Amino acid sequence: MTEVQASVGLKDLVYALLVSDDKTGVAYDVVKPAAPAISANINRGSSATPIYADDRVVAVTTSTGVTTIEIGITHLPKQVQAEWLGHEIINGILVRKKTDKAPYLALGFRSETSDGSYKYVWLYKGKFQAPSMEHGTKGESAEPKTPTISGTFIERNYDEASDIDVHDTDTDIPEGVIAKWFTEVIDPAELTTP
């Protein structure tokens, strides 16, 4: 019987800007730490459409849409905001403009499971929207307010891959893949054992 591996943790949120993505190849900038993560809700958009004939459903077609992610974080450093959202830092001050364009980037993290092992994830190509932030006056007891940021991820042009995940207890992972998870964006080709 397989043990249930429920998610009980989230850590090591990292990102890498997408440099190029076309039919000839894909390239990313260096992997950088993002911010201490509180939560990550991933919704893989998909739909199912029944096909009717002879007064009944005879088949179902499915399609995959975009993947959305909502991340709760302790704070979003200005350097990360500038890179994720296309803002500029001038003399240490974050400057936001209406004309700013968010770049595509890859997002990685790991999630501890109930047996103490980890699931590792990379989302390959997405853009983030400006974070929502809440502020409030301090009362008798502190009520921490933390930002939430949402992103939309799609498949790459190069190979139509959208994301990967692997569990460190899987026995068929090529050697060294987990060790470099947070130093490079892992390519699906690296997960194929020769």
Side-chain angles (χ1 to χ4, degrees):
M1 183 175 171
T2 304
E3 182 180 340
V4 175
Q5 295 176 332
S7 175
V8 297
L10 174 67
K11 64 190 304 184
D12 300 326
L13 187 68
V14 295
Y15 70 99
L17 294 177
L18 180 62
V19 175
S20 62
D21 174 30
D22 58 33
K23 292 297 181 185
T24 63
V26 65
Y28 294 92
D29 202 345
V30 296
V31 175
K32 300 177 182 179
I38 297 170
S39 63
N41 297 319
I42 299 174
N43 182 6
R44 300 181 192 286
S46 62
S47 63
T49 304
I51 299 173
Y52 292 87
D54 290 335
D55 294 334
R56 66 185 182 93
V57 176
V58 294
V60 176
T61 62
T62 60
S63 64
T64 303
V66 298
T67 297
T68 58
I69 184 168
E70 185 176 271
I71 304 172
I73 46 184
T74 57
H75 70 288
L76 196 60
K78 62 186 172 186
Q79 294 84 359
V80 175
Q81 285 190 61
E83 288 205 319
W84 284 20
L85 302 170
H87 301 321
E88 188 178 5
I89 297 175
I90 301 174
N91 294 327
I93 299 171
L94 182 67
V95 179
R96 299 181 186 93
K97 295 181 182 176
K98 183 179 179 179
T99 54
D100 292 344
K101 303 290 184 199
Y104 282 110
L105 57 85
L107 188 75
F109 61 88
R110 65 178 172 155
S111 175
E112 186 178 2
T113 57
S114 53
D115 65 354
S117 58
Y118 284 90
K119 177 181 179 180
Y120 291 75
V121 176
W122 268 110
L123 301 171
Y124 283 139
K125 183 178 181 178
K127 290 187 177 189
F128 280 95
Q129 301 164 275
S132 64
M133 297 187 184
E134 184 180 344
H135 304 279
T137 191
K138 192 182 344 181
E140 291 182 14
S141 60
E143 292 183 29
K145 309 291 186 187
T146 56
T148 300
I149 189 164
S150 298
T152 302
F153 284 77
I154 60 175
E155 68 276 0
R156 304 190 298 197
N157 294 326
Y158 171 58
D159 55 5
E160 297 185 355
S162 61
D163 60 278
I164 58 171
D165 64 62
V166 67
H167 203 279
D168 63 9
T169 57
D170 293 342
T171 57
D172 53 353
I173 308 170
E175 188 175 334
V177 168
I178 297 296
K180 58 186 177 182
W181 201 267
F182 300 109
T183 59
E184 65 180 74
V185 179
I186 304 299
D187 192 272
E190 297 182 53
L191 303 177
T192 305
T193 305

